[in-house]
Amino acid sequence: QKEVEQNSGPLSVPEGAIASLNCTYSDRGSQSFFWYRQYSGKSPELIMFIYSNGDKEDGRFTAQLNKASQYVSLLIRDSQPSDSATYLCAGELTSYGKLTFGQGTILTVHP
Amino acid sequence: EPEVTQTPSHQVTQMGQEVILRCVPISNHLYFYWYRQILGQKVEFLVSFYNNEISEKSEIFDDQFSVERPDGSNFTLKIRSTKLEDSAMYFCATRDRSAFFGQGTRLTVV
């Protein structure tokens, strides 16, 4: 079974710190990975996606992909209390294919 | 910013009744999906739809489920005879290279 695994946390960081969220996947054929933020009772909001090895930066967010290690991460710089949410990692095997989600990591940013 | 719109936001139905969940995709997107999330669990894939036909479906998507795009704009998920275990948030998603989710329909089967 194709799995995406995340540490469920909770991960607690102080305001202004860097939050590091990690995700591993089992299927080497996975093409792309998506990071979503989900507030309680709400829908997933897309943060960014990555499909090439290396880093991809968007504002305070940096996604990192290492296909050899089957590892994806999301760094949040200058964390704010409003970043407190569940962060979902999802992978896709084929372009425009289904997304397979991890169980999510709960992040708490405390003032 | 374009968004995926779902209706209703909350649906309460009796076990055995039929429900139809509706989604209006982002206008230039061609790939449509339904996902569900049972409270406290992972987001799970149900079905994908492209070019007016199902392109992939999960084990969850059995004969009680169907999808269609009746009028070229709405994308619907029908559950013919709801069960208690169908209670969940149902999300429609559409995509170009990115994948965007609607705000969800909370389905409660009583």
Side-chain angles (χ1 to χ4, degrees), chain A residues 1 8 18 20 26 31 40 44 48 50-51 68 70 83 101-102:
Chain A
Q1 186 172 356
S8 60
I18 296 175
S20 178
S26 61
Q31 299 269 331
S40 181
M48 62 195 305
I50 186 168
Y51 54 87
Q70 295 177 236
D83 293 326
F101 282 83

Side-chain angles (χ1 to χ4, degrees), chain A residues 48-69:
Chain A
M48 62 195 305
F49 71 93
I50 186 168
Y51 54 87
S52 297
N53 270 328
D55 295 359
K56 180 179 179 182
E57 186 175 316
D58 185 357
R60 296 188 295 115
F61 300 96
T62 299
Q64 299 174 317
L65 174 59
N66 184 326
K67 290 189 176 182
S69 301

Side-chain angles (χ1 to χ4, degrees), chain A residues 32 36 38 43 92 96 99, chain B residues 33 35 37 95-97 99 102:
Chain A
S32 305
Y36 290 88
Q38 187 176 34
S43 65
E92 67 171 4
Y96 304 101
L99 298 183
Chain B
Y33 309 79
Y35 292 83
Q37 187 176 32
R95 58 183 305 185
D96 46 17
R97 195 60 191 95

Side-chain angles (χ1 to χ4, degrees), chain A residues 6-24:
Chain A
Q6 295 181 257
N7 186 330
S8 60
L11 174 66
S12 182
V13 300
E15 185 174 357
I18 296 175
S20 178
L21 304 158
N22 305 315
C23 173
T24 59

